[in-house]
């Protein structure tokens, strides 16, 4: 069925009136979009185990839907992707592309590129020059073998197009790959990002040149004056200068005005900016350079540090990169006909192009990186990272095809080359670059480091955001002893890596601040108070605070935390609990709650974060403490008390026995050294009835770990454990006799007794062990229904939101060197105290 494009109507009258919706522009566009998104999303899921960026799935999706695979069926092609519909689909896709390049410009921070300096610049120059020269060489061969004399394009534009196609690095794709591989905030990641940014800017300049040349006489038609391309280039330079000199200060003013009203961005300014994207695109199209160039430059003019840029990204990112951009990649795939690559010569050309692109990029980058003293393995990794193609590459190829510089065969060869080079990046980098993980180093627990030669105490404190800061500082401050060890604090801000590229921007901002706190919160003052809190704390002098950012998807976040603890030789990790009670009592100096009901509405940061905590507890290379915060300290108090008086003043340690409780006691010993902290140790003794009837715990792996407590399954000698407990208590009493209040209790009901301690207003913080090797008392609670099993029986009782507990809770787990598996259990009360095979008798 042939169509006259002018006769195509937008919408149909519907099937009842005999219209086939597929013969009308808009319904067909809906079908095409739905099909493309369904296919590319399904492929993205398939490629996920191979750690491939989304771009790959989208291009492959387009190729499958196009003439290479499904498109061989002409009926399908004429119905779903008829020739008359392509300009419409491409126009919609181009809007997506326009805004995406605006986002790329917005993400590209020119000042951070300048800061990365000569090293990244050198690497980028080598990474462009070598493959560009290689591309020029390949261009000669291809032009003579794959083109007929009639369709041969002009030398200059073809050479530049081939050079650009081979020498580009895709900045957005590289950012996503680095984040996936957890290399974004490392030295190698920073260098790669800066070099890719240089590369991107250079590629745009070259592309503008190529387009200017290609416009000068398309596909062997009538030749225009050579002066035309000079005028195009000069106008392009004039446009960039105008944007950076005139528009940039204007956009600074817009951004300032736009986010004045208490952190809420004004709608009118957002609309103004979005219209600006369109106008800039039109301006460069008018000049004769592709419209995306204008959008990219306009993105560069927007200030990177305020709330305004962040809001803009949030407004348009999901719609653009989720819906419109896949259409663009798919249209590239639809134009790619792999069947056009016929015969040994064509496939030989494909091989030649791939080899030239990879060798040029990798060798060029490697050579310069080694010259600027980057270790060989890292230099090779950089080479492979810089070999990432993707978005910009496809844009270049599409423009080349549009301008008749590339024919179908060359286009197909270059698309496959882009796919291949990007596809190999992740697996190769994972194979080559293995950061030193030092797994065999024996990490000292808090208890063990006591005897070591006055080694500094290293703590890794993790936080989700500003809400965790004051409580964290209070706890750290009370551990920071005045006499003994120096304390080194690593503060790790945990940020979730989502599908959105704005999570990449967050990293760049974090790096720029040198602080791990990023303005992802609605109000700017929240951000500054976080930094203020830690800077005030840093000024205390005796504590070295080192901020770190972890950007990771939640299922792999624990690897970042454990890896950091491993490489920094940390003695203890402090994690925030996934629930937080919003009690602001920072103003009353001695932290009393006036009413118990106030603090019992917890704010939950999400189940994903709870799973992160559980995985860290399971895999940590050192001791771990989970802080259940019920309003310890306050940021205001912290900022005003630079003398460090904002400490947890009244601490209670509940001691039953076992390694975790001994670790909690050790921690309390450090707190007792602080002149402002008063520590009370309450030891729960084993009742007479339990001594005669021992409780045996038998592994019951079939029980649900979400609802039941898990205990260590290794066989222990109860007598030895008892000896260790007594020894620890004895040492503790001898050392801190004067400073610590020590009580012993023999309760009839340990839950009631524990709750009475928690519900009293005598303490600010209760420290308990997680109790994975339980004492006889705790073993009786083994089959109690658990709300938060990761905190152990006593921690769970105290963390429950229904028990009206007032103080914050710190649940401590001692590092388990043997890494024995934890298991759910069932308990048996037996008259004799003999242990049954494989059971733990207590």
């Amino acid at each position: 069925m042939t169509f006259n494009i002018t006769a195509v109507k937008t919408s149909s009258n519907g099937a009842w009136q005999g219209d086939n919706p597929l013969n009308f522009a808009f319904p067909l566009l809906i079908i095409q979009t739905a099909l493309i998104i369904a296919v590319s999303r399904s492929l993205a899921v398939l490629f996920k185990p191979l750690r491939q960026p989304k771009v790959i799935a989208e291009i492959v999706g387009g190729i499958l839907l196009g003439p290479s695979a499904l498109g061989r069926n002409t009926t399908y092609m004429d119905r779903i992707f008829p020739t008359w519909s392509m300009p419409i689909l491409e126009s919609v896709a181009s809007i997506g592309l326009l805004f995406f390049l605006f986002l790329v410009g917005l993400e590209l921070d020119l000042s951070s590129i300048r800061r990365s300096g000569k090293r990244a610049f050198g690497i980028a120059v080598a990474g462009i020059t070598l493959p560009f020269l290689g591309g020029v060489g390949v261009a000669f061969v291809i032009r003579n073998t794959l083109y007929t004399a009639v369709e041969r394009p002009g030398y200059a534009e073809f050479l530049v197009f081939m050079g650009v196609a081979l020498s580009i690095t895709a900045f957005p794709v590289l950012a996503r790959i680095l984040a996936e591989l957890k290399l974004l905030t490392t030295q190698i990641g920073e260098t790669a990002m800066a070099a890719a940014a240089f590369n991107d800017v250079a590629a745009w300049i070259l592309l503008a040149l190529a387009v200017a040349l290609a416009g000068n006489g398309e596909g062997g038609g009538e030749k225009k004056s050579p002066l035309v391309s000079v005028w195009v280039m000069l106008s392009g330079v004039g446009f960039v200068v105008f944007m950076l000199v005139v528009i940039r200060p204007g956009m600074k003013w817009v951004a300032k005005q736009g986010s004045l009203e208490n952190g809420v961005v004004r709608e009118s300014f957002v609309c103004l900016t979005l219209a600006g994207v369109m106008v800039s695109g039109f301006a460069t199209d008018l000049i004769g350079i592709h419209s995306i160039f204008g959008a990219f430059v306009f993105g560069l003019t927007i200030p990177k540090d305020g709330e305004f840029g962040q809001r803009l990204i949030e407004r348009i990112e999901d719609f653009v990169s989720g819906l419109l951009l896949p259409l663009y990649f798919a249209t590239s795939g639809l134009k790619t006909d792999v069947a056009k690559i016929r015969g040994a010569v064509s496939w030989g050309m494909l091989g030649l192009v791939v080899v030239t692109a990879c060798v040029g990029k990798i060798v060029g980058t490697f050579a310069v990186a080694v010259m600027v003293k980057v270790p060989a393995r890292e230099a090779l990794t950089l080479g492979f990272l810089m070999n990432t193609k993707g978005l910009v590459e496809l844009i270049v190829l599409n423009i080349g095809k549009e301008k008749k510089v590339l024919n179908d065969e060359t286009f197909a060869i270059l698309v496959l080359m882009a796919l291949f080079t990007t596809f190999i990046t992740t697996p190769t980098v994972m194979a080559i670059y293995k950061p030193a993980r030092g797994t065999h180093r024996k990490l000292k627990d808090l208890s063990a480091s006591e005897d070591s030669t006055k080694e500094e105490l290293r703590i890794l404190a993790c936080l989700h955001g500003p809400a965790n800061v004051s409580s964290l500082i209070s706890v750290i401050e009370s551990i920071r002893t005045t006499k003994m060890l120096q304390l080194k604090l690593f503060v790790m801000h945990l940020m979730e890596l989502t599908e959105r590229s704005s999570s990449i921007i967050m990293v760049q901002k974090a790096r720029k601040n040198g602080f791990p706190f990023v303005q992802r919160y609605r109000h700017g003052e929240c951000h500054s108070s976080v930094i203020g809190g830690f800077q005030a704390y840093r000024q205390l002098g005796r504590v070295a605070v080192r901020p770190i950012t972890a950007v990771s998807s939640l299922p792999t976040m624990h690897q970042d935390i454990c890896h950091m603890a491993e490489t920094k030789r940390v003695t203890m990790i402090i994690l925030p609990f996934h629930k937080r009670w919003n009690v602001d009592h920072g103003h009353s100096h001695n932290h009393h709650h006036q009413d118990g009901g106030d603090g019992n509405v917890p704010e939950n940061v999400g189940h994903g974060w709870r799973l992160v905590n559980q995985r860290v507890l399971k895999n940590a290379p050192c001791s771990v403490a989970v802080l259940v915060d019920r309003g310890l300290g306050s940021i205001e108090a912290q900022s005003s008390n630079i003398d460090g008086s904002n400490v947890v003043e009244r601490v209670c340690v509940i001691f039953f026995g076992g390694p975790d409780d001994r670790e909690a006691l050790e921690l309390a010993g450090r707190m007792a050294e602080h002149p402002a902290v008063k520590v009370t140790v309450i030891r729960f003794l084993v009742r007479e009835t339990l001594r005669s009837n021992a409780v045996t715990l038998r592994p019951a792996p079939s029980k649900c770990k979400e609802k039941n407590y898990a205990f260590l399954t290794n066989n222990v000698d109860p007598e030895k454990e008892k000896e260790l407990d007594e020894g620890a208590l004895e040492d503790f009493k001898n050392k801190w006799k004067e400073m610590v209040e020590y009580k012993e209790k023999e309760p009839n009901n340990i839950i009631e007794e524990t709750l009475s301690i928690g519900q009293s207003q005598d303490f600010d913080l209760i420290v308990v062990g997680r109790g994975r090797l339980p004492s006889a008392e705790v073993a009786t609670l083994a089959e109690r229904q658990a709300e938060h099993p990761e905190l152990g029986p006593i921690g769970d009782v105290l963390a429950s939101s229904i028990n009206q507990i007032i103080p914050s809770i710190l649940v401590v787990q001692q590092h388990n060197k043997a890494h024995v598996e934890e298991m759910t259990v069932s308990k048996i009360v037996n008259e004799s105290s003999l242990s049954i095979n494989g059971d733990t008798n207590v």
Side-chain angles (χ1 to χ4, degrees), residues 815-835:
H815 175 47
N816 160 27
K817 289 187 186 68
H819 272 297
V820 180
E821 193 59 40
E822 291 174 25
M823 216 177 260
T824 45
V825 295
S826 50
K827 68 176 185 184
I828 303 155
V829 179
N830 51 325
E831 296 302 319
S832 69
S833 54
L834 284 170
S835 165

Side-chain angles (χ1 to χ4, degrees), residues 232-244:
V232 170
M233 280 313 291
L234 287 175
S235 313
V237 171
F239 172 77
V240 174
V241 170
F242 174 76
M243 293 299 275
L244 295 179

Side-chain angles (χ1 to χ4, degrees), residues 158 257 280 311 424 475 498 506 652 666 716:
F158 190 62
Q257 293 300 311
S280 311
R311 285 291 86 75
I424 60 169
V475 172
T498 55
M506 286 158 65
C652 171
E666 184 70 35
V716 284

Side-chain angles (χ1 to χ4, degrees), residues 513-803:
N513 298 335
F515 263 88
F517 308 106
V518 180
Q519 247 164 337
R520 69 192 284 195
Y521 309 98
R522 292 277 166 204
H523 307 295
E525 63 270 15
C526 176
H527 173 66
S528 53
S529 66
V530 169
I531 289 187
F534 268 99
Q535 274 169 342
Y537 190 53
R538 227 178 200 163
Q539 288 161 12
L540 291 170
R542 296 165 293 262
V543 180
V545 181
R546 166 82 200 283
I548 308 159
T549 313
V551 181
S552 200
S553 56
L554 291 185
T556 60
M557 183 75 78
H558 67 283
Q559 293 171 7
D560 280 21
I561 299 171
C562 295
H563 176 212
M564 191 51 66
E566 184 94 42
T567 48
K568 301 293 180 194
R569 305 190 311 284
V570 165
T571 316
M572 178 173 267
I573 300 170
I574 300 180
L575 298 169
F577 191 51
H578 66 284
K579 290 181 183 172
R580 212 187 137 270
W581 280 259
N582 274 322
V583 186
D584 184 24
H585 50 217
H587 303 293
S588 59
H589 183 67
N590 48 0
H591 311 322
H592 284 274
H593 292 248
Q594 297 316 313
D595 64 322
D598 217 353
N600 289 309
V601 188
E603 170 196 332
N604 194 333
V605 292
H607 185 66
W609 290 105
R610 180 186 179 188
L611 295 176
V612 171
N613 283 2
Q614 289 175 356
R615 292 188 196 105
V616 173
L617 284 163
K618 188 177 175 193
N619 300 305
C622 58
S623 296
V624 183
V626 180
L627 177 63
V628 182
D629 178 20
R630 286 198 172 87
L632 271 180
S634 74
I635 293 179
E636 294 89 344
Q638 177 60 30
S639 318
S640 58
N641 298 342
I642 289 186
D643 61 343
S645 57
N646 184 34
V647 296
V648 185
E649 289 167 9
R650 301 159 309 152
V651 177
C652 171
V653 180
I654 302 179
F655 186 89
F656 288 94
D660 295 342
D661 285 39
R662 293 196 291 274
E663 192 81 341
L665 196 65
E666 184 70 35
L667 191 62
R670 294 186 186 283
M671 292 178 167
E673 265 190 88
H674 198 293
V677 181
K678 183 178 185 305
V679 176
T680 307
V681 175
I682 300 175
R683 184 189 184 184
F684 280 41
L685 298 168
V686 181
R687 293 186 309 242
E688 271 308 317
T689 49
L690 274 177
R691 280 182 205 147
S692 51
N693 300 330
V695 176
T696 302
L697 300 180
R698 174 174 286 166
S702 55
K703 283 191 175 182
C704 165
K705 279 198 176 178
E706 281 293 303
K707 298 278 177 218
N708 294 281
Y709 302 114
F711 297 100
L712 292 178
T713 49
N714 52 339
N715 254 322
V716 284
D717 177 1
E719 290 307 313
K720 192 175 178 214
E721 278 298 307
K722 200 171 173 190
E723 216 173 283
L724 288 167
D725 289 344
E726 294 298 339
L729 279 167
E730 204 52 49
D731 289 352
F732 183 84
K733 282 191 278 191
N734 291 340
K735 208 168 182 183
W736 314 115
K737 205 181 305 169
E738 310 302 318
M739 309 173 189
V740 172
E741 190 181 337
Y742 177 78
K743 299 175 182 172
E744 289 189 348
K745 291 190 174 184
E746 194 176 307
N748 286 324
N749 184 325
I750 58 168
I751 290 188
E752 279 176 17
E753 195 64 47
T754 308
L755 286 177
S756 73
I757 297 170
Q759 286 159 355
S760 71
Q761 294 194 352
D762 301 342
F763 305 108
D764 301 323
L765 179 70
I766 297 178
V767 183
V768 293
R770 195 178 153 211
R772 291 165 309 150
L773 266 184
S775 65
E777 288 286 357
V778 178
T780 58
L781 306 178
E783 291 190 325
R784 182 178 172 273
Q785 187 75 358
E787 190 183 347
H788 310 110
E790 69 268 26
L791 300 179
I794 302 298
D796 187 20
V797 169
L798 291 168
S800 171
S801 42
I802 53 173
N803 288 335

Side-chain angles (χ1 to χ4, degrees), residues 30-40 65 70 76 80-81:
I30 294 172
I31 294 288
Q32 290 170 336
T33 309
L35 185 63
I36 287 168
I37 286 173
V39 170
S40 62
L65 291 170
L70 291 174
Y76 150 84
I80 308 291
F81 293 104

Side-chain angles (χ1 to χ4, degrees), residues 442-459 484-486 569-572 623 663 666-667 670 735 814 817:
K442 187 170 173 237
L443 279 147
K444 294 186 171 68
D445 300 324
L446 267 178
S447 323
S449 65
E450 180 68 8
D451 326 315
S452 64
T453 56
K454 297 277 180 277
E455 189 190 333
E456 65 184 355
L457 170 61
R458 292 161 162 257
I459 288 182
M484 290 258 315
L485 311 155
Q486 188 202 351
R569 305 190 311 284
V570 165
T571 316
M572 178 173 267
S623 296
E663 192 81 341
E666 184 70 35
L667 191 62
R670 294 186 186 283
K735 208 168 182 183
Q814 189 181 51
K817 289 187 186 68

Side-chain angles (χ1 to χ4, degrees), residues 76-273:
Y76 150 84
M77 211 55 186
D78 292 343
R79 270 271 156 254
I80 308 291
F81 293 104
T83 6
W84 62 263
S85 74
M86 293 320 280
I88 301 166
L89 181 63
E90 281 174 29
S91 299
V92 175
S94 298
I95 292 179
L97 186 66
L98 200 67
F99 279 102
F100 185 77
L101 276 137
F102 166 66
L103 286 178
V104 172
L106 194 54
E107 286 180 26
L108 199 62
D109 188 358
L110 290 175
S111 59
S112 79
I113 297 178
R114 280 201 297 273
R115 263 204 319 277
S116 308
K118 295 172 188 163
R119 189 180 186 182
F121 183 68
I123 290 172
V125 168
I128 290 179
T129 317
L130 243 144
F132 190 86
L133 295 173
V136 170
V138 170
F140 274 110
V141 183
I142 287 187
R143 191 170 175 277
N144 293 327
T145 48
L146 302 183
Y147 283 84
T148 58
V150 182
E151 61 169 15
R152 249 174 228 169
Y155 257 122
E157 62 260 38
F158 190 62
L159 296 188
V160 176
F161 258 107
M162 286 299 290
V164 173
L166 266 66
S167 60
I168 272 176
T169 295
F171 178 77
V173 182
L174 178 70
R176 164 80 31 211
I177 288 177
L178 286 170
E180 284 280 322
L181 294 176
K182 304 191 184 309
L183 296 176
L184 244 180
T185 44
T186 60
Q187 182 68 46
I188 192 168
E190 287 185 30
T191 312
M193 286 290 272
F198 277 125
N199 203 317
D200 235 19
V201 175
W204 287 115
I205 295 165
L206 289 169
L207 177 59
L209 173 72
V211 174
L213 289 167
N216 180 19
E218 297 199 353
E222 153 212 0
K223 293 280 177 194
K224 302 189 188 92
S225 149
L227 279 176
V228 172
S229 45
V230 176
W231 284 121
V232 170
M233 280 313 291
L234 287 175
S235 313
V237 171
F239 172 77
V240 174
V241 170
F242 174 76
M243 293 299 275
L244 295 179
V245 174
V246 179
I247 303 292
R248 201 174 184 176
M251 288 316 294
K252 253 196 181 127
W253 179 84
V254 166
K256 202 171 173 190
Q257 293 300 311
S259 45
L260 273 184
E261 298 171 13
N262 55 20
V264 179
V265 172
R266 279 162 61 185
E267 204 62 39
S268 51
F269 286 109
V270 173
C271 295
L272 179 75
T273 311

